[in-house]
């Protein structure tokens, strides 16, 4: 970690002439979601952990209203004036700083000070929420440079505005909430309706585990996948259920229906719509059971629920792409794995597992071999690694 920070400081001097002592660093981690997949946008409960791999953003105030940015990960300069933020450009990492500036301005925060910045981050393939990590990093840097105090809850809303507004993805608050609120050795339980959370410490009774990340090599962006279509299908299911319970004017979100109302009226749904609702209600129940298992240190039950979540994501929510689903199947049959699912939306990126650390090395080898046999082309760009839960985003 200090290696990357040293490198960023050297590069800030070489590229922009900024002295190391004037450089500040945001560390914005990637996240996993063991339980609560695809229910954040319907205001269901979700669980998360930040991991010990992160996006780093080195920055210093620019001294004027100019934003001057480069990245060790992505090509090209990003440069714009705070008073004339350009619109979204397809597949351009500059969308995150531009979206961060717009989100802050739209919430009435006066920005006078631009930043000179250089970002670095290894995992930009999806699944670990690199997009929210980079969005959060730019928000924190801009707030610091402009002396703006913002609560983590407001930052969650601001980053959501980047994703929903500027980027056009209809996602929920899982990613940015996990990145901002998580703490080492805790499970973060997030109520997506009220944006409140609980940090649940790891029980002493719980055996140790590694988080194993198995990358697929698939890198397509989320806008343009089936993500938004699934959100619309959930809204259709919610609309039908709200009609059935006599509250047609309520916002069509599955979180506005109780489990009991769903049990009574589920026969009003059929086909794909019925499957999406089944995923929402079964996943909400798994979150609840998972929290109990985590509290009592029962990693076997917690892991089994993660694999069940993976199953429901494939069969009810129908959102994984083939390589991700194959990885899920490989992971659940790997020795030492407590539970697995694909990470994030499941259209690209990675699958994750919780694994017995004494079996991690063999598991990594087994997974790589199996994946190589199934998807030789993709496996060339895919690697697997283990990591640990860690603290949320901060300026260090
Ligand atoms: C992506 C979205 C999140 C969430 C997950 C699935 O990461 O950005 O809001 O819906 O997929 O749980």
């Amino acid at each position: 970690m200090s290696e990357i920070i040293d490198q960023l400081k050297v590069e800030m001097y070489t590229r922009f002439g900024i002295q190391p002592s004037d450089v500040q660093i945001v560390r914005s981690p990637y996240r996993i979601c063991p339980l609560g997949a695809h229910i954040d946008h319907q205001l269901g409960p979700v669980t998360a952990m930040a991991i010990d791999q992160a996006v780093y953003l080195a920055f210093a105030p620019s001294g004027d209203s100019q934003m001057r940015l480069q990245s060790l990960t992505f090509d090209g300069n990003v440069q714009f004036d705070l008073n004339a933020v350009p619109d979204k450009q397809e597949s351009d990492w500059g969308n995150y700083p531009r979206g961060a500036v717009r989100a802050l301005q739209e919430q009435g925060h006066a920005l006078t000070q631009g930043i000179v910045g250089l970002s670095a981050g290894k995992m930009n393939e999806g699944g670990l929420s690199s997009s929210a990590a980079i969005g959060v990093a730019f928000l924190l840097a801009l707030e610091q440079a402009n002396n703006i105090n913002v609560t983590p809850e407001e930052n969650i809303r601001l980053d959501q505005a980047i994703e929903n507004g500027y980027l056009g993805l209809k996602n929920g608050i899982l990613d940015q909430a996990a990145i901002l609120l998580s703490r080492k050795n805790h499970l973060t339980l997030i109520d997506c309706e009220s944006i409140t959370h609980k940090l649940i410490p790891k029980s002493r009774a719980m055996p140790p585990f590694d988080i194993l990340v198995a990358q697929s090599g698939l890198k397509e962006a989320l806008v343009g996948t089936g993500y938004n279509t699934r959100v619309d299908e959930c809204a259709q299911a919610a609309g039908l259920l709200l009609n059935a319970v006599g509250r047609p004017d309520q916002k069509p979100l599955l979180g506005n229906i109780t489990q009991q109302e769903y049990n009574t009226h589920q026969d009003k749904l059929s086909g794909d719509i019925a499957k999406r609702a089944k995923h929402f209600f079964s996943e909400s129940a798994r979150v609840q059971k998972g929290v109990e298992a985590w509290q009592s240190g029962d990693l076997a039950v917690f892991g089994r629920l993660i694999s069940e979540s993976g199953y429901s994501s494939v069969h009810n929510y129908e959102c994984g792409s083939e390589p991700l689903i194959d990885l899920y199947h490989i992971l659940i049959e790997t020795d030492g794995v407590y539970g697995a699912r694909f990470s994030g939306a499941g259209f690209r990126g990675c699958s994750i597992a919780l694994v017995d650390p004494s079996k991690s090395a063999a598991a990594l080898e087994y997974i790589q071999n199996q994946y190589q046999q199934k998807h030789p082309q993709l496996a060339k760009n895919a690697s697997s690694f283990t990591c640990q839960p860690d603290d949320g985003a901060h300026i260090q």
Side-chain angles (χ1 to χ4, degrees):
M1 175 171 95
S2 66
E3 218 173 274
I4 184 76
I5 292 175
D6 290 346
Q7 189 191 355
L8 282 169
K9 287 190 173 174
V10 169
E11 292 286 335
M12 281 291 274
Y13 184 73
T14 319
R15 294 174 186 225
F16 301 110
I18 294 178
Q19 294 294 339
S21 54
D22 293 333
V23 172
Q24 299 183 76
I25 305 279
V26 187
R27 177 187 175 279
S28 190
Y30 303 107
R31 65 93 191 91
I32 64 159
C33 169
L35 293 166
H38 286 289
I39 62 172
D40 59 339
H41 49 73
Q42 298 302 302
L43 308 188
V46 300
T47 67
M49 294 180 217
I51 62 169
D52 58 8
Q53 304 274 336
V55 165
Y56 292 89
L57 174 63
F59 72 97
S62 62
D64 54 26
S65 59
Q66 287 297 311
M67 297 284 286
R68 287 190 284 279
L69 309 167
Q70 291 187 15
S71 168
L72 298 183
T73 318
F74 308 108
D75 294 332
N77 290 310
V78 171
Q79 191 155 352
F80 61 94
D81 192 296
L82 291 175
N83 302 312
V85 182
D87 286 337
K88 175 182 155 185
Q89 288 157 35
E90 271 329 303
S91 312
D92 180 3
W93 67 276
N95 287 331
Y96 296 98
R98 289 192 288 264
V101 170
R102 282 259 180 105
L104 282 159
Q105 290 172 335
E106 277 161 14
Q107 284 310 305
H109 294 293
L111 299 178
T112 51
Q113 193 61 246
I115 59 168
V116 175
L118 181 64
S119 73
K122 279 190 283 184
M123 255 76 69
N124 55 326
E125 297 180 10
L128 299 174
S129 201
S130 51
S131 56
I134 191 86
V136 165
F138 279 110
L139 286 170
L140 296 185
L142 283 160
E143 289 157 11
Q144 177 82 355
N146 286 277
N147 288 320
I148 298 170
N149 277 328
V150 170
T151 62
E153 288 70 21
E154 193 188 343
N155 268 325
I156 291 170
R157 284 282 180 226
L158 287 164
D159 189 70
Q160 190 184 25
I162 302 177
E163 304 245 341
N164 293 177
Y166 196 77
L167 297 171
L169 184 67
K170 299 181 185 178
N171 56 352
I173 60 152
L174 160 70
D175 304 338
Q176 43 285 85
I179 287 165
L180 283 154
L181 304 171
S182 294
R183 293 288 169 269
K184 203 172 193 158
N185 291 327
H186 289 74
L187 181 71
T188 316
L189 173 64
I190 302 153
D191 178 331
C192 296
E193 186 174 11
S194 60
I195 315 201
T196 52
H197 73 289
K198 276 191 197 138
L199 290 169
I200 310 172
K202 199 161 101 185
S203 151
R204 275 165 203 238
M206 185 176 275
F209 64 84
D210 281 340
I211 298 166
L212 190 153
V213 177
Q215 287 182 325
S216 67
L218 261 188
K219 299 178 185 180
E220 192 194 347
L222 268 195
V223 178
T225 64
Y227 189 95
N228 283 351
T229 312
R230 293 288 176 280
V231 177
D232 294 342
E233 289 164 352
C234 289
Q236 283 174 46
L240 290 167
L241 290 168
L242 283 167
N243 262 333
V245 298
R247 296 196 301 277
D249 297 334
Q250 224 175 329
K251 202 162 178 207
L253 292 165
L254 287 166
N256 285 333
I257 311 285
T258 66
Q259 175 80 48
Q260 182 150 16
E261 287 170 338
Y262 170 69
N263 293 346
T264 312
H265 295 284
Q266 56 179 298
D267 59 329
K268 313 284 184 312
L269 306 176
S270 61
D272 289 346
I273 304 299
K275 290 195 216 166
R276 311 302 178 244
K278 185 172 175 193
H279 175 73
F280 177 87
F281 288 100
S282 65
E283 188 70 358
S284 302
R286 278 186 289 275
V287 168
Q288 215 141 28
K289 285 189 210 145
V291 166
E292 285 159 24
W294 177 271
Q295 275 163 335
S296 63
D298 195 337
L299 194 50
V301 169
F302 190 72
R304 199 191 67 222
L305 289 161
I306 296 175
S307 300
E308 285 173 13
S309 165
Y311 183 92
S312 180
S313 297
V314 175
H315 296 278
N316 296 321
Y317 205 73
E318 296 181 301
C319 65
S321 58
E322 199 196 320
L324 269 298
I325 296 172
D326 287 340
L327 267 179
Y328 161 68
H329 285 127
I330 294 169
L331 286 170
I332 53 177
E333 68 180 31
T334 300
D335 187 31
V337 164
Y338 288 103
R341 55 160 293 110
F342 43 73
S343 191
F347 295 104
R348 60 174 187 150
C350 56
S351 288
I352 53 120
L354 300 191
V355 57
D356 175 348
S358 70
K359 300 194 168 160
S360 285
L364 284 169
E365 204 182 318
Y366 175 78
I367 291 155
Q368 196 68 33
N369 286 339
Q370 295 294 306
Y371 191 58
Q372 168 72 34
Q373 282 172 35
K374 281 254 169 202
H375 295 278
Q377 280 311 106
L378 287 172
K380 283 186 203 152
N381 303 320
S383 54
S384 302
F385 61 94
T386 57
C387 55
Q388 283 291 315
D390 208 337
D391 289 333
H394 57 275
I395 295 180
Q396 45 192 33

